[in-house]
Every structure is written in structure tokens, then in C-alpha cells.
Amino acid sequence: MGIFRRGFVLLLAVVFSVFSVATVKIGVLLPFTGGLAAAGDMVKKGIELAHEEKGTVLGEKIELVFMDTRSEKTEAANGIARLIDKEGVVAVIGEIMSGNSLAAGEIAEKRKVPMVSPASTNPLVTQGKKFVSRVCFIDPVQGTALAEFAVRTLKIKKAAVFTDVEQDYSVGLSNYFIERFKKYGGQVQQLQYKSGDSEFSAQLSQALAFGAEAIVVTGYYNEIALVAQQARALGFKGHILAGDGANAPELLKIGGQAVEGIYFSDHYHPDAPVTQVSKKFVEAFVKKYGVKPSTLSALGYDAYMLVVEAIERAKTTKPELIATAIRSIKNFQGATGAISIDKEGNAQKEIVILKVKNGDFVYSGKLSTNVLK
């Protein structure tokens, strides 16, 4: 009986060693429900594709742990706390809304666990932090680029800027656009709204009375589409501009013909690949999902790949050393282009201008960040 027991214990040990594989947990903090659920899903698709391509690091399997922020700041903070404290993740990818990333970033900083945002562009997200970085450009650059495009290319002199006062992203983007636009002698009328608003007739009446040649909506796709619809219904014939918050299929579904001709600043376009990785990413994405990737999918892909690269450089899964490795990455070849992370945790990269044409997002041009200083 003793021999049998020893043999049985040995057998269990062998079985356990075969089926128990060490894993490295990476958290994914995104809005899967709420106002920006569509955007969260697009980022998730890019992350999952990257995970399929590179599912191990340092010889261990990577496990993705998803957490829904419900498009809310409080849930973003609670979610990252659960990822770190209960799930034991070594790094977090997220969030995409700047306000949510600000809330989650405070927790990441206190817990000393790296967080990489795919798409939060407000400069405060990384300001003064050691553990929060991003793979996207920041609003000072984006707002400046949009103003440069408005003045130099579209020859606009009077603009009405619609600002979502509930979103840090919108407030920041508006401020940087206005600052550069006024530098060229442009006249600005700033008008306010709140996330979830559906009626913009009062603001649009003021914009028309002001004689705006362009309406600049610095929020997200839902409100941008509604503003465009109502502006065209009131007879506005000028340009409509936006930031990267416009890039979602829902803009086209909601806005229809009214969003035709909208220009917006963005990070990437699948028809204008800038690296070999860009081309391979588009091919793989189309094969998996049957459609071309959105900017958010490409940014999700890059965020995952950059985190894995940092773990490999650090040669450890210790969060503090991974965070240091992230800040050391230069000229990383991503789907959205070559990415260099500066000492503040911000990505240095080119800005793309896209246009809605024939019910699709088309490449219009790009601006180097060097000409925006």
C-alpha cells in the first residue's frame, strides 16, 4: 500500500507539472459598456490580434485579464485596483478616455505598476508620473496640428469651437487648437456642451450668427455626428473639423450624409502604411475580422506589443523594471508607425489627417510633429 501511495503521489506531481504552465498576466482596462463601448471593442480587437501573434514572453504564456470601466471614471479606478490587487497583473493596457486614464493612472502610480494607454491624449495623463505612458500623440500636438491644417490648408479665419466640458480630452484639445489658431490672427467663438447631449440648436445658432467658417467639435463621435447633422440642417456650408475622437464607424452610422467632408486629426490609416509592421497588421486584421482595422485597433495592437517588448527588455516580470523599460523604447516599429517613448511617457510620432469621403475614412495627408513646435 505504501508503494502504491508513493507511486500515486509521483503520478500526480507529473500530471501537475505537465498541465500547470506559468503565466504572465497583463490587464486590459477598457470601456466595454457605456457611451464608448464601440471604441473599447475596437481596441480589444487589436489587442487580441497581437496576443495571437505573440502569446508568450520570457518563455511563459501571456494571459489577458479584461476589465470593463463602463465608460466611467470611478469604474476605471476600481477596475485597475482589482487588476493589480486581485489579479496580480504585471502591467495594464488602458484606458482610452483621458478622464478615465487620469483616474486609473493615479492607482497605477501608487501601486507602482506600469499602465500604457492606447489613445488617451490629454497631457495630464502622464504628467509627473513614472508608471503611466502611452502609444498615442498628445493634445498639444494634435490641437496644434488641427489649427495648422485649418489655417494653412483650409484658409479658415473664423472658427466656432464646440467643447465637451465633461471630458478632459475635449477641454484640452480645444485649448490647444484655440491657442495656435489665434496665433495666426484667427477669430474664435467657444461653445460648450456635455457628454450625452443631443440638441445643439442654441450653440449652432450662435455659431452661424458669429459667421463661423468652420465648426470644430473636440469631443467624441456621438456628439460630433449629431452636431454635423443639425449644422447641415440649419444650412451651414462651412468645414467641420474634429480630433481623433471622431474615428469610429458610429460616426458614419449616426451622421450619414451630414458627416461627409469632415476632416479630423488621427494616428493612422490602413491605406497609408508607414512601416512593414503596418502592412502585416492590416493583412492579419482583415483575415481575422473581415474588415480593415480602425485607428483604435491599431493603437491597441501597438500598446500590447510595446508592453511585451518592455518585458523582454527588462528580462523580468517585476512591474517597476517593466515601467523603466517602457520609457527606454525608441523607434519601435508599430502598426501606427515608428514610436519613441520620451522621458514623460509620451509617444513621439507623426500625425495623420483623415477625411470622410463617400461614407468612408480616407487618408488626406500627414504632419510631422517637428513643424508643430
Side-chain angles (χ1 to χ4, degrees), residues 139-192:
D139 287 333
V141 176
Q142 180 177 203
T144 300
L146 203 57
E148 290 281 335
F149 178 74
V151 172
R152 295 190 178 197
T153 303
L154 302 181
K155 310 300 181 186
I156 294 167
K157 297 180 180 178
K158 297 182 76 173
V161 179
F162 283 54
T163 303
D164 183 344
V165 294
E166 291 188 342
Q167 297 294 342
D168 299 297
Y169 158 72
S170 181
V171 173
L173 184 57
S174 293
N175 290 340
Y176 295 113
F177 174 88
I178 291 170
E179 181 181 356
R180 179 55 67 101
F181 192 71
K182 285 184 173 180
K183 181 180 178 180
Y184 287 105
Q187 298 179 53
V188 176
Q189 180 186 54
Q190 189 168 16
L191 302 162
Q192 299 182 345

Short mmCIF file of all heavy atoms in Angstrom, two decimals, residues 139-192:
data_model
loop_
_atom_site.label_atom_id
_atom_site.label_comp_id
_atom_site.label_asym_id
_atom_site.label_seq_id
_atom_site.Cartn_x
_atom_site.Cartn_y
_atom_site.Cartn_z
N ASP A 139 -2.51 65.95 -26.85
CA ASP A 139 -3.38 67.02 -27.36
C ASP A 139 -2.67 68.31 -27.74
O ASP A 139 -3.11 68.98 -28.68
CB ASP A 139 -4.49 67.31 -26.35
CG ASP A 139 -5.53 66.21 -26.32
OD1 ASP A 139 -5.69 65.53 -27.37
OD2 ASP A 139 -6.17 66.00 -25.28
N PRO A 140 -1.61 68.72 -27.04
CA PRO A 140 -0.91 69.93 -27.51
C PRO A 140 -0.46 69.78 -28.95
O PRO A 140 -0.51 70.73 -29.74
CB PRO A 140 0.28 70.03 -26.55
CG PRO A 140 -0.20 69.40 -25.30
CD PRO A 140 -1.07 68.26 -25.75
N VAL A 141 -0.01 68.57 -29.30
CA VAL A 141 0.43 68.31 -30.67
C VAL A 141 -0.77 68.19 -31.60
O VAL A 141 -0.82 68.78 -32.68
CB VAL A 141 1.28 67.02 -30.72
CG1 VAL A 141 1.67 66.69 -32.15
CG2 VAL A 141 2.52 67.17 -29.86
N GLN A 142 -1.78 67.45 -31.18
CA GLN A 142 -2.97 67.24 -32.01
C GLN A 142 -3.74 68.54 -32.25
O GLN A 142 -4.14 68.85 -33.38
CB GLN A 142 -3.90 66.20 -31.36
CG GLN A 142 -5.15 65.94 -32.17
CD GLN A 142 -6.05 64.88 -31.58
OE1 GLN A 142 -6.84 64.27 -32.29
NE2 GLN A 142 -5.96 64.63 -30.28
N GLY A 143 -3.95 69.31 -31.18
CA GLY A 143 -4.67 70.57 -31.31
C GLY A 143 -3.94 71.56 -32.19
O GLY A 143 -4.54 72.26 -33.02
N THR A 144 -2.63 71.59 -32.03
CA THR A 144 -1.79 72.48 -32.85
C THR A 144 -1.85 72.06 -34.31
O THR A 144 -1.97 72.89 -35.21
CB THR A 144 -0.34 72.45 -32.34
OG1 THR A 144 -0.31 72.91 -30.99
CG2 THR A 144 0.55 73.35 -33.19
N ALA A 145 -1.78 70.75 -34.56
CA ALA A 145 -1.83 70.23 -35.93
C ALA A 145 -3.15 70.58 -36.60
O ALA A 145 -3.20 70.99 -37.77
CB ALA A 145 -1.63 68.72 -35.93
N LEU A 146 -4.23 70.43 -35.86
CA LEU A 146 -5.56 70.72 -36.41
C LEU A 146 -5.68 72.21 -36.77
O LEU A 146 -6.26 72.57 -37.80
CB LEU A 146 -6.62 70.32 -35.39
CG LEU A 146 -8.03 70.02 -35.91
CD1 LEU A 146 -8.00 68.91 -36.95
CD2 LEU A 146 -8.94 69.64 -34.75
N ALA A 147 -5.13 73.07 -35.91
CA ALA A 147 -5.16 74.51 -36.18
C ALA A 147 -4.29 74.85 -37.39
O ALA A 147 -4.67 75.68 -38.24
CB ALA A 147 -4.68 75.28 -34.95
N GLU A 148 -3.11 74.23 -37.47
CA GLU A 148 -2.23 74.45 -38.62
C GLU A 148 -2.93 74.05 -39.92
O GLU A 148 -2.85 74.75 -40.93
CB GLU A 148 -0.94 73.63 -38.46
CG GLU A 148 -0.01 74.14 -37.38
CD GLU A 148 0.81 75.34 -37.83
OE1 GLU A 148 1.02 75.48 -39.04
OE2 GLU A 148 1.23 76.13 -36.96
N PHE A 149 -3.61 72.91 -39.89
CA PHE A 149 -4.33 72.43 -41.07
C PHE A 149 -5.47 73.39 -41.43
O PHE A 149 -5.68 73.69 -42.61
CB PHE A 149 -4.87 71.03 -40.79
CG PHE A 149 -5.66 70.45 -41.93
CD1 PHE A 149 -5.03 69.99 -43.07
CD2 PHE A 149 -7.04 70.37 -41.85
CE1 PHE A 149 -5.76 69.45 -44.13
CE2 PHE A 149 -7.78 69.83 -42.89
CZ PHE A 149 -7.13 69.37 -44.03
N ALA A 150 -6.19 73.84 -40.41
CA ALA A 150 -7.32 74.75 -40.65
C ALA A 150 -6.86 76.05 -41.30
O ALA A 150 -7.50 76.55 -42.24
CB ALA A 150 -8.03 75.04 -39.33
N VAL A 151 -5.75 76.59 -40.82
CA VAL A 151 -5.26 77.88 -41.32
C VAL A 151 -4.52 77.73 -42.65
O VAL A 151 -4.82 78.42 -43.62
CB VAL A 151 -4.33 78.54 -40.29
CG1 VAL A 151 -3.66 79.77 -40.87
CG2 VAL A 151 -5.12 78.91 -39.03
N ARG A 152 -3.58 76.79 -42.70
CA ARG A 152 -2.69 76.70 -43.86
C ARG A 152 -3.34 76.02 -45.07
O ARG A 152 -3.14 76.43 -46.21
CB ARG A 152 -1.42 75.95 -43.49
CG ARG A 152 -0.57 76.68 -42.46
CD ARG A 152 0.78 76.01 -42.32
NE ARG A 152 1.63 76.73 -41.36
CZ ARG A 152 2.94 76.58 -41.27
NH1 ARG A 152 3.57 75.76 -42.10
NH2 ARG A 152 3.64 77.25 -40.38
N THR A 153 -4.12 74.99 -44.80
CA THR A 153 -4.71 74.24 -45.91
C THR A 153 -6.12 74.71 -46.25
O THR A 153 -6.44 74.91 -47.43
CB THR A 153 -4.74 72.73 -45.58
OG1 THR A 153 -3.41 72.29 -45.30
CG2 THR A 153 -5.31 71.92 -46.74
N LEU A 154 -6.95 74.89 -45.23
CA LEU A 154 -8.34 75.26 -45.48
C LEU A 154 -8.57 76.77 -45.50
O LEU A 154 -9.66 77.23 -45.86
CB LEU A 154 -9.25 74.61 -44.42
CG LEU A 154 -9.18 73.08 -44.34
CD1 LEU A 154 -10.14 72.58 -43.27
CD2 LEU A 154 -9.50 72.45 -45.69
N LYS A 155 -7.55 77.57 -45.09
CA LYS A 155 -7.61 79.04 -45.11
C LYS A 155 -8.75 79.59 -44.26
O LYS A 155 -9.39 80.58 -44.60
CB LYS A 155 -7.76 79.55 -46.54
CG LYS A 155 -6.77 78.96 -47.55
CD LYS A 155 -5.32 79.25 -47.16
CE LYS A 155 -4.36 78.66 -48.19
NZ LYS A 155 -2.93 78.80 -47.78
N ILE A 156 -9.00 78.95 -43.13
CA ILE A 156 -10.08 79.37 -42.23
C ILE A 156 -9.61 80.51 -41.33
O ILE A 156 -8.51 80.47 -40.79
CB ILE A 156 -10.55 78.17 -41.37
CG1 ILE A 156 -11.20 77.12 -42.27
CG2 ILE A 156 -11.52 78.62 -40.28
CD1 ILE A 156 -11.41 75.80 -41.59
N LYS A 157 -10.48 81.52 -41.14
CA LYS A 157 -10.15 82.68 -40.30
C LYS A 157 -11.08 82.82 -39.10
O LYS A 157 -10.74 83.51 -38.13
CB LYS A 157 -10.18 83.95 -41.14
CG LYS A 157 -9.13 83.98 -42.26
CD LYS A 157 -9.21 85.27 -43.07
CE LYS A 157 -8.15 85.27 -44.17
NZ LYS A 157 -8.24 86.51 -45.01
N LYS A 158 -12.27 82.22 -39.18
CA LYS A 158 -13.22 82.29 -38.06
C LYS A 158 -13.73 80.89 -37.75
O LYS A 158 -14.23 80.20 -38.65
CB LYS A 158 -14.40 83.21 -38.41
CG LYS A 158 -14.01 84.66 -38.66
CD LYS A 158 -15.24 85.53 -38.96
CE LYS A 158 -16.01 85.82 -37.70
NZ LYS A 158 -17.11 86.80 -37.93
N ALA A 159 -13.58 80.48 -36.50
CA ALA A 159 -13.98 79.12 -36.12
C ALA A 159 -14.82 79.11 -34.85
O ALA A 159 -14.53 79.84 -33.90
CB ALA A 159 -12.75 78.24 -35.93
N ALA A 160 -15.84 78.27 -34.83
CA ALA A 160 -16.64 78.03 -33.62
C ALA A 160 -16.18 76.69 -33.05
O ALA A 160 -16.23 75.67 -33.74
CB ALA A 160 -18.12 77.99 -33.96
N VAL A 161 -15.71 76.71 -31.82
CA VAL A 161 -15.16 75.50 -31.20
C VAL A 161 -16.15 74.96 -30.16
O VAL A 161 -16.46 75.62 -29.17
CB VAL A 161 -13.80 75.80 -30.52
CG1 VAL A 161 -13.26 74.54 -29.86
CG2 VAL A 161 -12.81 76.33 -31.56
N PHE A 162 -16.66 73.75 -30.42
CA PHE A 162 -17.61 73.09 -29.52
C PHE A 162 -16.83 72.23 -28.53
O PHE A 162 -16.17 71.26 -28.93
CB PHE A 162 -18.59 72.22 -30.31
CG PHE A 162 -19.67 72.99 -31.01
CD1 PHE A 162 -19.37 74.04 -31.87
CD2 PHE A 162 -21.01 72.67 -30.81
CE1 PHE A 162 -20.36 74.76 -32.52
CE2 PHE A 162 -22.01 73.37 -31.46
CZ PHE A 162 -21.69 74.41 -32.32
N THR A 163 -16.93 72.53 -27.24
CA THR A 163 -16.15 71.85 -26.21
C THR A 163 -17.05 71.08 -25.25
O THR A 163 -17.99 71.65 -24.69
CB THR A 163 -15.33 72.87 -25.40
OG1 THR A 163 -14.51 73.62 -26.29
CG2 THR A 163 -14.46 72.17 -24.37
N ASP A 164 -16.77 69.79 -25.09
CA ASP A 164 -17.47 68.96 -24.10
C ASP A 164 -16.83 69.23 -22.74
O ASP A 164 -15.73 68.74 -22.46
CB ASP A 164 -17.35 67.49 -24.49
CG ASP A 164 -18.11 66.56 -23.56
OD1 ASP A 164 -18.49 67.00 -22.44
OD2 ASP A 164 -18.33 65.40 -23.93
N VAL A 165 -17.52 69.98 -21.89
CA VAL A 165 -16.93 70.41 -20.62
C VAL A 165 -16.79 69.26 -19.63
O VAL A 165 -16.14 69.41 -18.58
CB VAL A 165 -17.76 71.55 -19.98
CG1 VAL A 165 -17.68 72.80 -20.84
CG2 VAL A 165 -19.20 71.13 -19.76
N GLU A 166 -17.36 68.09 -19.93
CA GLU A 166 -17.25 66.94 -19.02
C GLU A 166 -16.07 66.04 -19.36
O GLU A 166 -15.79 65.09 -18.63
CB GLU A 166 -18.55 66.12 -19.05
CG GLU A 166 -19.74 66.84 -18.43
CD GLU A 166 -20.95 65.94 -18.30
OE1 GLU A 166 -20.99 64.89 -18.98
OE2 GLU A 166 -21.85 66.27 -17.52
N GLN A 167 -15.40 66.33 -20.48
CA GLN A 167 -14.30 65.46 -20.91
C GLN A 167 -12.98 66.24 -20.91
O GLN A 167 -12.84 67.22 -21.62
CB GLN A 167 -14.58 64.92 -22.32
CG GLN A 167 -15.81 64.03 -22.42
CD GLN A 167 -15.68 62.74 -21.64
OE1 GLN A 167 -14.57 62.32 -21.28
NE2 GLN A 167 -16.81 62.10 -21.38
N ASP A 168 -12.01 65.74 -20.13
CA ASP A 168 -10.69 66.37 -20.08
C ASP A 168 -10.06 66.42 -21.48
O ASP A 168 -9.38 67.38 -21.82
CB ASP A 168 -9.77 65.59 -19.14
CG ASP A 168 -10.30 65.56 -17.71
OD1 ASP A 168 -10.40 66.63 -17.11
OD2 ASP A 168 -10.61 64.46 -17.22
N TYR A 169 -10.30 65.37 -22.25
CA TYR A 169 -9.79 65.31 -23.62
C TYR A 169 -10.27 66.50 -24.44
O TYR A 169 -9.49 67.19 -25.10
CB TYR A 169 -10.25 64.00 -24.25
CG TYR A 169 -10.27 63.98 -25.77
CD1 TYR A 169 -9.08 63.94 -26.50
CD2 TYR A 169 -11.48 63.98 -26.46
CE1 TYR A 169 -9.10 63.91 -27.89
CE2 TYR A 169 -11.50 63.94 -27.85
CZ TYR A 169 -10.31 63.91 -28.56
OH TYR A 169 -10.34 63.88 -29.93
N SER A 170 -11.57 66.76 -24.40
CA SER A 170 -12.17 67.82 -25.20
C SER A 170 -11.70 69.20 -24.75
O SER A 170 -11.39 70.07 -25.58
CB SER A 170 -13.69 67.74 -25.13
OG SER A 170 -14.30 68.73 -25.92
N VAL A 171 -11.66 69.41 -23.46
CA VAL A 171 -11.22 70.71 -22.92
C VAL A 171 -9.79 71.00 -23.34
O VAL A 171 -9.46 72.10 -23.81
CB VAL A 171 -11.35 70.74 -21.38
CG1 VAL A 171 -10.74 72.01 -20.82
CG2 VAL A 171 -12.82 70.63 -20.98
N GLY A 172 -8.92 70.01 -23.19
CA GLY A 172 -7.52 70.21 -23.56
C GLY A 172 -7.33 70.44 -25.04
O GLY A 172 -6.63 71.36 -25.46
N LEU A 173 -7.99 69.62 -25.86
CA LEU A 173 -7.86 69.75 -27.31
C LEU A 173 -8.35 71.11 -27.79
O LEU A 173 -7.72 71.75 -28.64
CB LEU A 173 -8.64 68.63 -28.00
CG LEU A 173 -8.53 68.55 -29.52
CD1 LEU A 173 -7.09 68.42 -29.97
CD2 LEU A 173 -9.35 67.36 -30.04
N SER A 174 -9.46 71.56 -27.22
CA SER A 174 -9.99 72.89 -27.57
C SER A 174 -8.99 73.98 -27.26
O SER A 174 -8.73 74.87 -28.08
CB SER A 174 -11.29 73.16 -26.80
OG SER A 174 -12.33 72.31 -27.20
N ASN A 175 -8.42 73.92 -26.08
CA ASN A 175 -7.49 74.97 -25.65
C ASN A 175 -6.27 75.06 -26.57
O ASN A 175 -5.83 76.16 -26.93
CB ASN A 175 -7.04 74.71 -24.21
CG ASN A 175 -8.15 74.94 -23.20
OD1 ASN A 175 -9.14 75.62 -23.50
ND2 ASN A 175 -8.02 74.38 -22.02
N TYR A 176 -5.72 73.90 -26.95
CA TYR A 176 -4.53 73.92 -27.79
C TYR A 176 -4.85 74.34 -29.22
O TYR A 176 -4.04 75.01 -29.87
CB TYR A 176 -3.84 72.55 -27.77
CG TYR A 176 -3.30 72.23 -26.40
CD1 TYR A 176 -3.83 71.20 -25.63
CD2 TYR A 176 -2.27 72.99 -25.84
CE1 TYR A 176 -3.35 70.93 -24.36
CE2 TYR A 176 -1.79 72.74 -24.57
CZ TYR A 176 -2.34 71.70 -23.83
OH TYR A 176 -1.87 71.44 -22.56
N PHE A 177 -6.03 73.97 -29.71
CA PHE A 177 -6.45 74.43 -31.03
C PHE A 177 -6.60 75.96 -31.04
O PHE A 177 -6.08 76.66 -31.91
CB PHE A 177 -7.77 73.79 -31.45
CG PHE A 177 -8.33 74.34 -32.73
CD1 PHE A 177 -7.97 73.78 -33.95
CD2 PHE A 177 -9.19 75.43 -32.73
CE1 PHE A 177 -8.46 74.29 -35.15
CE2 PHE A 177 -9.69 75.95 -33.92
CZ PHE A 177 -9.31 75.38 -35.13
N ILE A 178 -7.29 76.47 -30.03
CA ILE A 178 -7.56 77.90 -29.95
C ILE A 178 -6.26 78.70 -29.83
O ILE A 178 -6.08 79.74 -30.48
CB ILE A 178 -8.50 78.20 -28.76
CG1 ILE A 178 -9.90 77.63 -29.05
CG2 ILE A 178 -8.58 79.70 -28.49
CD1 ILE A 178 -10.84 77.65 -27.86
N GLU A 179 -5.35 78.22 -29.00
CA GLU A 179 -4.08 78.92 -28.80
C GLU A 179 -3.32 79.08 -30.12
O GLU A 179 -2.84 80.17 -30.45
CB GLU A 179 -3.22 78.14 -27.80
CG GLU A 179 -1.88 78.79 -27.51
CD GLU A 179 -1.03 77.99 -26.53
OE1 GLU A 179 -1.52 76.96 -26.02
OE2 GLU A 179 0.12 78.38 -26.30
N ARG A 180 -3.20 78.00 -30.90
CA ARG A 180 -2.47 78.10 -32.17
C ARG A 180 -3.27 78.86 -33.23
O ARG A 180 -2.70 79.63 -34.00
CB ARG A 180 -2.11 76.70 -32.67
CG ARG A 180 -1.35 76.66 -34.01
CD ARG A 180 -0.07 77.52 -33.98
NE ARG A 180 0.93 77.02 -33.10
CZ ARG A 180 2.00 76.32 -33.46
NH1 ARG A 180 2.19 76.03 -34.74
NH2 ARG A 180 2.88 75.94 -32.57
N PHE A 181 -4.58 78.68 -33.25
CA PHE A 181 -5.42 79.37 -34.24
C PHE A 181 -5.34 80.88 -34.06
O PHE A 181 -5.24 81.64 -35.03
CB PHE A 181 -6.86 78.88 -34.09
CG PHE A 181 -7.78 79.29 -35.22
CD1 PHE A 181 -7.66 78.71 -36.47
CD2 PHE A 181 -8.76 80.24 -35.01
CE1 PHE A 181 -8.50 79.08 -37.52
CE2 PHE A 181 -9.61 80.63 -36.05
CZ PHE A 181 -9.48 80.03 -37.31
N LYS A 182 -5.38 81.32 -32.80
CA LYS A 182 -5.29 82.76 -32.53
C LYS A 182 -3.92 83.33 -32.85
O LYS A 182 -3.78 84.51 -33.17
CB LYS A 182 -5.63 83.04 -31.05
CG LYS A 182 -7.12 82.93 -30.73
CD LYS A 182 -7.38 83.31 -29.28
CE LYS A 182 -8.87 83.37 -28.99
NZ LYS A 182 -9.13 83.73 -27.57
N LYS A 183 -2.90 82.47 -32.79
CA LYS A 183 -1.54 82.91 -33.11
C LYS A 183 -1.47 83.42 -34.54
O LYS A 183 -0.67 84.31 -34.87
CB LYS A 183 -0.57 81.74 -32.91
CG LYS A 183 0.89 82.08 -33.19
CD LYS A 183 1.78 80.88 -32.97
CE LYS A 183 3.24 81.19 -33.30
NZ LYS A 183 4.12 80.02 -33.09
N TYR A 184 -2.31 82.87 -35.41
CA TYR A 184 -2.37 83.30 -36.81
C TYR A 184 -3.40 84.40 -37.05
O TYR A 184 -3.72 84.73 -38.19
CB TYR A 184 -2.70 82.10 -37.71
CG TYR A 184 -1.57 81.13 -37.87
CD1 TYR A 184 -1.58 79.90 -37.20
CD2 TYR A 184 -0.48 81.43 -38.68
CE1 TYR A 184 -0.53 79.00 -37.35
CE2 TYR A 184 0.58 80.53 -38.84
CZ TYR A 184 0.54 79.32 -38.17
OH TYR A 184 1.59 78.43 -38.31
N GLY A 185 -3.94 84.95 -35.96
CA GLY A 185 -4.92 86.02 -36.10
C GLY A 185 -6.34 85.54 -36.29
O GLY A 185 -7.24 86.33 -36.61
N GLY A 186 -6.56 84.24 -36.10
CA GLY A 186 -7.91 83.69 -36.27
C GLY A 186 -8.85 84.13 -35.16
O GLY A 186 -8.43 84.36 -34.02
N GLN A 187 -10.13 84.24 -35.50
CA GLN A 187 -11.16 84.61 -34.51
C GLN A 187 -11.89 83.35 -34.07
O GLN A 187 -12.23 82.49 -34.88
CB GLN A 187 -12.16 85.58 -35.14
CG GLN A 187 -11.54 86.91 -35.58
CD GLN A 187 -12.58 87.82 -36.21
OE1 GLN A 187 -13.62 88.09 -35.62
NE2 GLN A 187 -12.29 88.29 -37.42
N VAL A 188 -12.13 83.24 -32.75
CA VAL A 188 -12.72 82.02 -32.18
C VAL A 188 -13.93 82.34 -31.32
O VAL A 188 -13.93 83.31 -30.55
CB VAL A 188 -11.69 81.26 -31.32
CG1 VAL A 188 -12.33 80.05 -30.66
CG2 VAL A 188 -10.50 80.83 -32.15
N GLN A 189 -14.95 81.52 -31.48
CA GLN A 189 -16.08 81.55 -30.56
C GLN A 189 -16.15 80.16 -29.93
O GLN A 189 -16.29 79.16 -30.63
CB GLN A 189 -17.38 81.83 -31.31
CG GLN A 189 -18.61 81.87 -30.40
CD GLN A 189 -19.90 82.00 -31.18
OE1 GLN A 189 -20.16 81.19 -32.07
NE2 GLN A 189 -20.69 83.01 -30.89
N GLN A 190 -16.01 80.09 -28.60
CA GLN A 190 -16.05 78.79 -27.93
C GLN A 190 -17.42 78.53 -27.34
O GLN A 190 -17.98 79.37 -26.63
CB GLN A 190 -14.99 78.71 -26.83
CG GLN A 190 -14.83 77.30 -26.26
CD GLN A 190 -13.59 77.15 -25.38
OE1 GLN A 190 -12.99 78.14 -24.96
NE2 GLN A 190 -13.19 75.92 -25.10
N LEU A 191 -17.98 77.36 -27.65
CA LEU A 191 -19.33 76.99 -27.22
C LEU A 191 -19.26 75.67 -26.46
O LEU A 191 -18.50 74.77 -26.81
CB LEU A 191 -20.25 76.84 -28.44
CG LEU A 191 -20.36 78.11 -29.31
CD1 LEU A 191 -20.90 77.77 -30.68
CD2 LEU A 191 -21.25 79.12 -28.61
N GLN A 192 -20.06 75.55 -25.42
CA GLN A 192 -19.98 74.39 -24.54
C GLN A 192 -21.15 73.42 -24.71
O GLN A 192 -22.25 73.83 -25.08
CB GLN A 192 -19.91 74.84 -23.08
CG GLN A 192 -18.71 75.70 -22.74
CD GLN A 192 -18.66 76.09 -21.27
OE1 GLN A 192 -19.65 75.95 -20.54
NE2 GLN A 192 -17.51 76.55 -20.82
#
